[in-house]
């Protein structure tokens, strides 16, 4: 599903417990791989490598100032970024490590990305979620995202 959020409307006030750090090119690629591979560890998504990240950094959609890590104390627990693709802003690669889920960090982190969008005068952000991922979809809707449409993905086998 494709969900969208109008950032001009107020979101609930968040008491941030996590620390946040911007991703640094040529410095944080391994850390991003570690987090993303931990977040998306399943049979559908192949593990990424630093070369995959370097490729991502060179794409037109990539916005270097809108990529952040979430830290609990000094431990990295999440990663997320905002990209601009085909005239639309998307939150992508968003997630919190399995062992830190269910504690409210995902909601806080998502609100932090929305705050980052607002700070950069982005009026609307979108996020995609697999139709079978009910937990993520519930999180996105609790934060304020509304369903726009369903999207089909075709896989060549």
């Amino acid at each position: 599903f494709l969900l969208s959020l109008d950032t001009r409307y107020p979101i609930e006030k968040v008491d941030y417990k996590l620390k946040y750090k911007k991703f640094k090119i040529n410095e944080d690629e391994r850390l991003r791989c570690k987090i993303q591979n931990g977040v998306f560890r399943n049979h559908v998504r192949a593990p990424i490598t630093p070369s995959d990240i370097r490729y991502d950094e060179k794409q037109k959609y990539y916005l270097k100032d809108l990529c952040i890590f979430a830290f609990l104390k000094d431990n990295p627990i999440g990663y997320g970024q905002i990209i601009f693709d085909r005239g639309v802003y998307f939150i992508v690669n968003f997630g919190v490590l399995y062992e830190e889920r269910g504690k409210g960090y995902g909601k806080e982190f998502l609100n932090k990305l929305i705050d980052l969008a607002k700070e950069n005068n982005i009026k609307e952000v979108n996020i995609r979620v697999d139709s079978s991922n009910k937990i993520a979809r519930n999180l996105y809707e609790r934060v304020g995202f509304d369903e726009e449409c369903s999207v089909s993905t075709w896989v060549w086998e």
Side-chain angles (χ1 to χ4, degrees):
F1 294 102
L2 175 67
L3 298 105
S4 67
L5 178 123
D6 186 331
T7 64
R8 294 171 291 185
Y9 293 106
I11 56 173
E12 74 179 70
K13 181 105 169 95
V14 177
D15 180 25
Y16 290 109
K17 294 176 178 57
L18 300 174
K19 296 179 191 171
Y20 297 93
K21 174 186 172 267
K22 282 189 180 180
F23 174 89
K24 291 183 185 169
I25 292 177
N26 296 323
E27 200 172 299
D28 289 330
E29 286 80 3
R30 288 192 188 283
L31 177 57
R32 179 177 160 191
C33 287
K34 180 181 176 185
I35 292 172
Q36 278 191 248
N37 290 335
V39 168
F40 301 109
R41 61 178 186 206
N42 63 37
H43 65 282
V44 177
R45 193 158 170 170
I48 59 172
T49 66
S51 62
D52 296 323
I53 304 298
R54 286 189 282 282
Y55 177 81
D56 187 41
E57 294 164 355
K58 294 176 184 170
Q59 302 310 303
K60 288 182 182 180
Y61 60 73
Y62 187 81
L63 302 171
K64 68 180 177 83
D65 292 329
L66 302 180
C67 307
I68 60 172
F69 293 104
F71 284 80
L72 180 59
K73 298 181 182 170
D74 293 328
N75 300 314
I77 65 162
Y79 177 80
Q81 67 189 96
I82 299 172
I83 64 168
F84 186 67
D85 189 26
R86 298 181 202 129
V88 180
Y89 290 96
F90 290 93
I91 293 175
V92 298
N93 300 316
F94 169 77
V96 172
L97 294 173
Y98 282 99
E99 55 271 18
E100 299 301 339
R101 292 183 184 174
K103 301 175 184 176
Y105 300 136
K107 184 176 180 184
E108 177 186 325
F109 188 18
L110 189 54
N111 277 302
K112 182 66 176 178
L113 282 164
I114 294 165
D115 284 345
L116 189 59
K118 286 181 181 183
E119 291 167 14
N120 285 273
N121 297 312
I122 297 170
K123 293 176 178 50
E124 182 179 88
V125 290
N126 297 275
I127 195 163
R128 290 186 179 139
V129 61
D130 189 277
S131 60
S132 66
N133 193 343
K134 292 183 186 341
I135 293 172
R137 183 168 178 181
N138 288 339
L139 167 63
Y140 304 156
E141 289 175 347
R142 277 195 324 271
V143 169
F145 282 87
D146 293 311
E147 181 181 329
E148 287 293 314
C149 62
S150 60
V151 179
S152 295
T153 303
W154 296 89
V155 178
W156 182 271
E157 290 190 38

